[in-house]
Amino acid sequence: MAYVNTLFNQNFLEYASYVIKDRAIPHLDDGLKPVQRRLLHSLFEMDDGKFHKVANVVGHTMQYHPHGDASIYSALVVLANKELFIDKQGNFGNILTGDEASAARYIECRVTPLAMRVFHLPEITEYEDSYDGRRKEPVTFPAKLPTVLMLGAEGIAVGMSTRILPHNFVEVCQAVQHALKGEPFELFPDFPGGGFVDISGYEDGQGKVLVRARLDTKDPKRIVIREIPFGSTTESLIASIEGAARKNKVKIAGISDFTGEQVEIEIKL
């Protein structure tokens, strides 16, 4: 029995470690998960200045990533919507409303000049064999910036998970400058959807933050939400408000969503 316990414990730990390293957690060197690194590597190989069909990019990446096209496509959409390293053309969904992107055959992308400057340094990049041994892929990119802070990350593996909050690109660059000069600095999370954040319990990333929407309450007959908290969409926020109204926690006459490029949810009191 003791042998069986030891066998299961050892095998579980090895499997969990493999999944965590191979799928879920970004590497601190370049801030990328394996699927993101393979995507960018493919885009560097394909780069000719023109847009590529996302379906073609996904197919090319499958030479390096053995986990199927669906995971590659969804990772590409998430990375493209960070609007740092992938230039997009077509409907890539909306991170504010939660609308999904169009199918891979309809949308196009290409690598940005910023990605080329930050990641693409073949002469000092360490490469290893791909999963089938036919090609070479980077172990990590020698990134010039702490991109793990810019991108943030969420990943769930077997028995472990990671959550790194995103930070403002300009603030990260300024923090790097202070660090290189040996000057003190503070750096806190910043979210693409806006809203308020309470960082009193942040503890340099080991604690937690509290987020909330930004409300426009100038009109006594209505409230307009113009920025939403991180981790939510207009759809989930409206569902939450409607749920609270049904339980008589708040009294509202109606709720309308006018969100386009900017958030605008109108709550009639």
Side-chain angles (χ1 to χ4, degrees):
M1 190 67 186
Y3 170 74
V4 173
N5 282 340
T6 304
L7 186 68
F8 268 88
N9 288 340
Q10 183 179 344
N11 287 350
F12 176 78
L13 283 171
E14 286 181 6
Y15 172 68
S17 300
Y18 165 76
V19 173
I20 289 161
K21 285 169 62 182
D22 205 55
R23 296 192 199 181
I25 291 182
H27 199 292
L28 286 179
D29 284 358
D30 55 13
L32 301 171
K33 297 178 185 180
V35 65
Q36 295 172 324
R37 190 176 301 112
R38 289 161 179 160
L39 264 168
L40 286 175
H41 179 56
S42 291
L43 282 168
F44 291 145
E45 286 189 330
M46 298 172 72
D47 184 50
D48 58 3
K50 299 176 183 177
F51 282 98
H52 304 278
K53 285 279 186 187
V54 164
N56 289 341
V57 178
V58 170
H60 192 284
T61 307
M62 286 183 74
Q63 297 176 99
Y64 303 105
H65 194 66
H67 301 298
D69 59 331
S71 61
I72 298 171
Y73 164 70
S74 57
L76 190 153
V77 169
V78 169
L79 190 58
N81 281 328
K82 304 283 185 184
E83 299 190 347
L84 287 172
F85 304 125
I86 296 179
D87 211 357
K88 53 189 183 177
Q89 186 165 274
N91 173 26
F92 274 74
N94 190 325
I95 60 170
L96 300 176
T97 62
D99 293 338
E100 293 186 357
S102 296
R105 62 186 178 275
Y106 298 125
I107 54 180
E108 299 178 330
C109 70
R110 64 185 175 191
V111 74
T112 62
L114 177 65
M116 295 292 285
R117 291 186 64 183
V118 171
F119 294 119
H120 192 53
L121 298 157
E123 61 277 8
I124 59 170
T125 301
E126 183 185 349
Y127 292 90
E128 63 182 0
D129 287 339
S130 60
Y131 70 95
D132 62 0
R134 285 193 174 95
R135 303 174 77 89
K136 294 286 185 182
E137 63 174 307
V139 177
T140 60
F141 287 118
K144 294 180 181 177
L145 293 169
T147 48
V148 68
L149 295 177
M150 297 173 184
L151 295 171
E154 283 193 53
I156 299 171
V158 182
M160 291 186 75
S161 67
T162 181
R163 189 170 208 189
I164 301 169
L165 299 178
H167 294 67
N168 183 282
F169 178 86
V170 175
E171 290 176 1
V172 171
C173 292
Q174 291 169 344
V176 169
Q177 290 175 356
H178 288 304
L180 290 171
K181 293 175 184 175
E183 299 170 352
F185 65 90
E186 285 187 314
L187 186 64
F188 298 112
D190 193 10
F191 306 115
F196 290 104
V197 59
D198 176 2
I199 46 86
S200 57
Y202 184 54
E203 297 177 11
D204 286 335
Q206 300 299 312
K208 62 180 181 179
V209 297
L210 297 174
V211 292
R212 61 163 289 183
R214 187 184 294 271
L215 311 179
D216 181 347
T217 57
K218 293 172 192 165
D219 189 333
K221 293 182 179 178
R222 65 175 194 154
I223 296 171
V224 180
I225 300 173
R226 301 198 187 278
E227 295 177 13
I228 58 175
F230 177 69
S232 65
T233 62
T234 55
E235 191 176 323
S236 67
L237 197 61
I238 289 169
S240 174
I241 295 167
E242 288 173 340
R246 281 194 294 272
K247 293 175 183 174
N248 291 320
K249 290 183 179 178
V250 292
K251 292 185 178 180
I252 61 173
I255 185 164
S256 304
D257 188 3
F258 301 114
T259 300
E261 287 189 12
Q262 303 294 327
V263 173
E264 188 177 345
I265 301 170
E266 181 185 80
I267 304 167
K268 290 179 182 171
L269 304 176

mmCIF file of all heavy atoms in Angstrom, residues 225 234-247 250 252 254-255 265 267:
data_model
loop_
_atom_site.group_PDB
_atom_site.id
_atom_site.type_symbol
_atom_site.label_atom_id
_atom_site.label_comp_id
_atom_site.label_asym_id
_atom_site.label_seq_id
_atom_site.Cartn_x
_atom_site.Cartn_y
_atom_site.Cartn_z
ATOM 1 N N ILE A 225 -22.757 54.060 -15.973
ATOM 2 C CA ILE A 225 -21.478 53.396 -15.722
ATOM 3 C C ILE A 225 -20.610 53.573 -16.960
ATOM 4 O O ILE A 225 -20.984 53.138 -18.052
ATOM 5 C CB ILE A 225 -21.684 51.901 -15.420
ATOM 6 C CG1 ILE A 225 -22.570 51.726 -14.183
ATOM 7 C CG2 ILE A 225 -20.337 51.202 -15.217
ATOM 8 C CD1 ILE A 225 -22.972 50.285 -13.912
ATOM 9 N N THR A 234 -19.556 44.098 -19.578
ATOM 10 C CA THR A 234 -20.842 44.804 -19.451
ATOM 11 C C THR A 234 -21.971 43.794 -19.269
ATOM 12 O O THR A 234 -22.906 44.032 -18.508
ATOM 13 C CB THR A 234 -21.107 45.669 -20.700
ATOM 14 O OG1 THR A 234 -21.044 44.844 -21.873
ATOM 15 C CG2 THR A 234 -20.080 46.787 -20.819
ATOM 16 N N GLU A 235 -21.852 42.654 -19.944
ATOM 17 C CA GLU A 235 -22.896 41.625 -19.852
ATOM 18 C C GLU A 235 -22.996 41.059 -18.428
ATOM 19 O O GLU A 235 -24.082 40.945 -17.859
ATOM 20 C CB GLU A 235 -22.578 40.495 -20.839
ATOM 21 C CG GLU A 235 -23.707 39.501 -21.030
ATOM 22 C CD GLU A 235 -23.377 38.450 -22.093
ATOM 23 O OE1 GLU A 235 -22.729 38.804 -23.096
ATOM 24 O OE2 GLU A 235 -23.768 37.291 -21.899
ATOM 25 N N SER A 236 -21.845 40.727 -17.833
ATOM 26 C CA SER A 236 -21.862 40.156 -16.480
ATOM 27 C C SER A 236 -22.268 41.202 -15.446
ATOM 28 O O SER A 236 -22.941 40.891 -14.460
ATOM 29 C CB SER A 236 -20.488 39.576 -16.130
ATOM 30 O OG SER A 236 -19.507 40.593 -16.016
ATOM 31 N N LEU A 237 -21.884 42.467 -15.684
ATOM 32 C CA LEU A 237 -22.238 43.541 -14.752
ATOM 33 C C LEU A 237 -23.748 43.794 -14.765
ATOM 34 O O LEU A 237 -24.383 43.932 -13.704
ATOM 35 C CB LEU A 237 -21.478 44.823 -15.130
ATOM 36 C CG LEU A 237 -21.390 45.915 -14.069
ATOM 37 C CD1 LEU A 237 -20.660 45.414 -12.840
ATOM 38 C CD2 LEU A 237 -20.679 47.143 -14.631
ATOM 39 N N ILE A 238 -24.326 43.831 -15.962
ATOM 40 C CA ILE A 238 -25.781 44.036 -16.086
ATOM 41 C C ILE A 238 -26.534 42.869 -15.443
ATOM 42 O O ILE A 238 -27.513 43.078 -14.718
ATOM 43 C CB ILE A 238 -26.174 44.201 -17.575
ATOM 44 C CG1 ILE A 238 -25.675 45.549 -18.097
ATOM 45 C CG2 ILE A 238 -27.687 44.080 -17.762
ATOM 46 C CD1 ILE A 238 -25.772 45.711 -19.599
ATOM 47 N N ALA A 239 -26.058 41.642 -15.666
ATOM 48 C CA ALA A 239 -26.698 40.473 -15.055
ATOM 49 C C ALA A 239 -26.655 40.561 -13.533
ATOM 50 O O ALA A 239 -27.624 40.209 -12.846
ATOM 51 C CB ALA A 239 -26.012 39.200 -15.535
ATOM 52 N N SER A 240 -25.537 41.062 -13.009
ATOM 53 C CA SER A 240 -25.393 41.207 -11.553
ATOM 54 C C SER A 240 -26.364 42.245 -10.997
ATOM 55 O O SER A 240 -26.997 42.033 -9.957
ATOM 56 C CB SER A 240 -23.945 41.602 -11.226
ATOM 57 O OG SER A 240 -23.804 41.883 -9.859
ATOM 58 N N ILE A 241 -26.496 43.369 -11.724
ATOM 59 C CA ILE A 241 -27.418 44.435 -11.284
ATOM 60 C C ILE A 241 -28.862 43.945 -11.354
ATOM 61 O O ILE A 241 -29.667 44.186 -10.437
ATOM 62 C CB ILE A 241 -27.227 45.701 -12.150
ATOM 63 C CG1 ILE A 241 -25.829 46.286 -11.933
ATOM 64 C CG2 ILE A 241 -28.286 46.752 -11.812
ATOM 65 C CD1 ILE A 241 -25.426 47.334 -12.955
ATOM 66 N N GLU A 242 -29.201 43.245 -12.442
ATOM 67 C CA GLU A 242 -30.570 42.711 -12.583
ATOM 68 C C GLU A 242 -30.873 41.687 -11.481
ATOM 69 O O GLU A 242 -31.982 41.645 -10.946
ATOM 70 C CB GLU A 242 -30.741 42.072 -13.961
ATOM 71 C CG GLU A 242 -30.813 43.094 -15.088
ATOM 72 C CD GLU A 242 -30.824 42.457 -16.464
ATOM 73 O OE1 GLU A 242 -30.398 41.271 -16.577
ATOM 74 O OE2 GLU A 242 -31.238 43.126 -17.430
ATOM 75 N N GLY A 243 -29.872 40.878 -11.135
ATOM 76 C CA GLY A 243 -30.045 39.906 -10.055
ATOM 77 C C GLY A 243 -30.295 40.592 -8.718
ATOM 78 O O GLY A 243 -31.155 40.161 -7.940
ATOM 79 N N ALA A 244 -29.540 41.690 -8.466
ATOM 80 C CA ALA A 244 -29.736 42.445 -7.220
ATOM 81 C C ALA A 244 -31.111 43.101 -7.196
ATOM 82 O O ALA A 244 -31.758 43.179 -6.139
ATOM 83 C CB ALA A 244 -28.641 43.503 -7.097
ATOM 84 N N ALA A 245 -31.596 43.562 -8.372
ATOM 85 C CA ALA A 245 -32.920 44.197 -8.442
ATOM 86 C C ALA A 245 -34.026 43.185 -8.148
ATOM 87 O O ALA A 245 -35.011 43.498 -7.468
ATOM 88 C CB ALA A 245 -33.119 44.828 -9.823
ATOM 89 N N ARG A 246 -33.864 41.954 -8.672
ATOM 90 C CA ARG A 246 -34.872 40.918 -8.419
ATOM 91 C C ARG A 246 -34.963 40.548 -6.941
ATOM 92 O O ARG A 246 -36.022 40.183 -6.442
ATOM 93 C CB ARG A 246 -34.554 39.663 -9.251
ATOM 94 C CG ARG A 246 -34.977 39.776 -10.708
ATOM 95 C CD ARG A 246 -34.960 38.425 -11.388
ATOM 96 N NE ARG A 246 -33.613 37.885 -11.491
ATOM 97 C CZ ARG A 246 -32.774 38.126 -12.505
ATOM 98 N NH1 ARG A 246 -33.167 38.920 -13.493
ATOM 99 N NH2 ARG A 246 -31.579 37.599 -12.527
ATOM 100 N N LYS A 247 -33.822 40.681 -6.234
ATOM 101 C CA LYS A 247 -33.810 40.372 -4.797
ATOM 102 C C LYS A 247 -34.135 41.599 -3.939
ATOM 103 O O LYS A 247 -33.989 41.565 -2.718
ATOM 104 C CB LYS A 247 -32.433 39.835 -4.407
ATOM 105 C CG LYS A 247 -32.116 38.482 -5.032
ATOM 106 C CD LYS A 247 -30.692 38.058 -4.710
ATOM 107 C CE LYS A 247 -30.361 36.740 -5.394
ATOM 108 N NZ LYS A 247 -28.938 36.365 -5.215
ATOM 109 N N VAL A 250 -31.570 46.583 -4.793
ATOM 110 C CA VAL A 250 -31.571 47.925 -5.396
ATOM 111 C C VAL A 250 -32.880 48.078 -6.170
ATOM 112 O O VAL A 250 -33.453 47.089 -6.646
ATOM 113 C CB VAL A 250 -30.375 48.141 -6.359
ATOM 114 C CG1 VAL A 250 -29.065 48.171 -5.617
ATOM 115 C CG2 VAL A 250 -30.344 47.084 -7.449
ATOM 116 N N ILE A 252 -34.554 49.722 -9.400
ATOM 117 C CA ILE A 252 -34.306 50.378 -10.692
ATOM 118 C C ILE A 252 -35.546 50.259 -11.566
ATOM 119 O O ILE A 252 -36.324 49.313 -11.442
ATOM 120 C CB ILE A 252 -33.081 49.776 -11.415
ATOM 121 C CG1 ILE A 252 -33.298 48.293 -11.716
ATOM 122 C CG2 ILE A 252 -31.811 49.974 -10.596
ATOM 123 C CD1 ILE A 252 -32.205 47.674 -12.567
ATOM 124 N N GLY A 254 -35.157 50.557 -15.023
ATOM 125 C CA GLY A 254 -34.713 49.904 -16.255
ATOM 126 C C GLY A 254 -33.216 50.036 -16.413
ATOM 127 O O GLY A 254 -32.573 50.850 -15.748
ATOM 128 N N ILE A 255 -32.652 49.220 -17.282
ATOM 129 C CA ILE A 255 -31.214 49.265 -17.531
ATOM 130 C C ILE A 255 -30.971 49.086 -19.029
ATOM 131 O O ILE A 255 -31.579 48.223 -19.669
ATOM 132 C CB ILE A 255 -30.490 48.183 -16.685
ATOM 133 C CG1 ILE A 255 -28.981 48.293 -16.834
ATOM 134 C CG2 ILE A 255 -30.967 46.788 -17.022
ATOM 135 C CD1 ILE A 255 -28.230 47.525 -15.757
ATOM 136 N N ILE A 265 -23.362 52.145 -19.713
ATOM 137 C CA ILE A 265 -24.518 51.426 -19.216
ATOM 138 C C ILE A 265 -25.374 52.409 -18.437
ATOM 139 O O ILE A 265 -24.922 53.018 -17.482
ATOM 140 C CB ILE A 265 -24.106 50.252 -18.289
ATOM 141 C CG1 ILE A 265 -23.190 49.276 -19.049
ATOM 142 C CG2 ILE A 265 -25.323 49.532 -17.752
ATOM 143 C CD1 ILE A 265 -22.552 48.234 -18.169
ATOM 144 N N ILE A 267 -28.553 53.211 -16.054
ATOM 145 C CA ILE A 267 -29.486 52.637 -15.098
ATOM 146 C C ILE A 267 -30.496 53.720 -14.714
ATOM 147 O O ILE A 267 -30.122 54.752 -14.153
ATOM 148 C CB ILE A 267 -28.763 52.157 -13.816
ATOM 149 C CG1 ILE A 267 -27.664 51.154 -14.190
ATOM 150 C CG2 ILE A 267 -29.756 51.548 -12.828
ATOM 151 C CD1 ILE A 267 -26.697 50.866 -13.065
#
